Amino acid sequence: PAAYTGTVKLGVVNSSVVSDLPLITGRSNGWTEQQLLAARYNYWDVLTVNRYKDVRQTGHAANFLFYDAVIAKCAGNDRLRSDQEPSNWYIGKDTAIQPRLLIVGALNQTGSVNNPASIASYSNTAGADADIANRFLLASGTIPFSGSDVSINGTPLRSGYGTSYAAPRVAGMVAIVRSKFPNLDASQTASIMLDTARYDTLTCYKTLAGCNPNIYGRGEASLSRALAPVGKLR
């Protein structure tokens, strides 16, 4: 409401945003490792997901507190390692956020044991940096409808694909888990999502090499498994 003044504690925040690598590097693609390292140092965007934001509605401030929010962050669509994407690097190295961070890559579809999914050709992968790779999940990056099928107040939704569509799927799962288990804090909830992710719904599962965690991270996020956790909380 326009006249609202108060504080809202959020349980999950979707962050479908990445750094603009073409702008930072001056190249559209084909970056070298040295150029990506330079982009990390030159990255100027300020991530505010751990703080409050004044929405300034008619002069009234509503403070949104993120300190106990799970952050579902899209991995990026540049076919890089997730640690090569500057916004992933900085948020993954932020000790105030990292324990409750989920970096989400994209699959070509929602996977199942009988119809497994593959990592999308455009999706960034988990990489080998433990701070980031150990927070990496996968979800479908394709929306299950065309833009003309669903509208809000008469405005058709834009169809598309990408890790920006995968991350809100995981954010929605987190919201359901936190609704069912309100005693959990953000880091516990994020741990459950990571610990209950699965490889057996992915095409790599039955290959000789198996699912490389440097590519697939912890596997595909699973709402059903997260809602029926077994074991101890980390």
Side-chain angles (χ1 to χ4, degrees):
Y4 176 79
T5 56
T7 299
V8 179
K9 177 182 174 183
L10 298 182
V12 60
V13 172
N14 176 70
S15 180
S16 286
V17 61
V18 293
S19 56
D20 190 338
L21 281 172
L23 177 65
I24 299 171
T25 63
R27 293 175 56 91
S28 60
N29 53 42
W31 305 288
T32 66
E33 188 77 25
Q34 291 73 22
Q35 289 168 332
L36 291 169
L37 284 172
R40 181 189 300 169
Y41 291 121
N42 294 332
Y43 184 54
W44 53 267
D45 196 10
V46 179
L47 297 170
T48 59
V49 295
N50 197 40
R51 297 164 179 85
Y52 73 88
K53 182 178 181 180
D54 177 6
V55 296
R56 301 189 184 281
Q57 292 186 356
T58 64
H60 296 280
N63 292 331
F64 295 89
L65 301 184
F66 298 89
Y67 62 85
D68 189 44
V70 176
I71 308 299
K73 166 76 169 66
C74 70
N77 305 326
D78 295 306
R79 306 179 189 182
L80 300 172
R81 304 189 315 265
S82 283
D83 60 277
Q84 292 175 310
E85 203 290 312
S87 66
N88 290 340
W89 171 267
Y90 283 108
I91 199 171
K93 296 298 180 178
D94 187 330
T95 57
I97 298 176
Q98 200 265 355
R100 52 196 173 90
L101 173 65
L102 300 172
I103 295 179
V104 186
L107 296 170
N108 66 329
Q109 63 180 29
T110 298
S112 68
V113 173
N114 295 325
N115 186 23
S118 301
I119 190 167
S121 59
Y122 55 80
S123 178
N124 289 353
T125 60
D129 187 291
D131 288 336
I132 296 168
N134 289 341
R135 317 304 299 183
F136 188 90
L137 290 173
L138 290 159
S140 173
T142 303
I143 61 174
F145 52 82
S146 68
S148 60
D149 289 340
V150 178
S151 298
I152 297 177
N153 294 331
T155 301
L157 296 183
R158 186 176 67 179
S159 60
Y161 60 88
T163 59
S164 290
Y165 292 84
R169 287 180 183 267
V170 172
M173 295 179 193
V174 169
I176 294 171
V177 171
R178 297 204 74 175
S179 296
K180 182 175 181 180
F181 304 111
N183 58 302
L184 297 176
D185 63 24
S187 62
Q188 291 170 333
T189 307
S191 293
I192 286 175
M193 294 302 303
L194 293 164
D195 292 346
T196 58
R198 56 196 303 181
Y199 290 134
D200 62 340
T201 57
L202 305 178
T203 53
C204 58
Y205 182 68
K206 292 185 178 181
T207 64
L208 185 63
C211 297
N212 184 344
N214 291 347
I215 298 175
Y216 302 95
R218 304 295 289 272
E220 183 174 9
S222 171
L223 178 60
S224 60
R225 290 191 176 194
L227 291 175
V230 176
K232 296 181 179 180
L233 287 174
R234 288 194 289 112

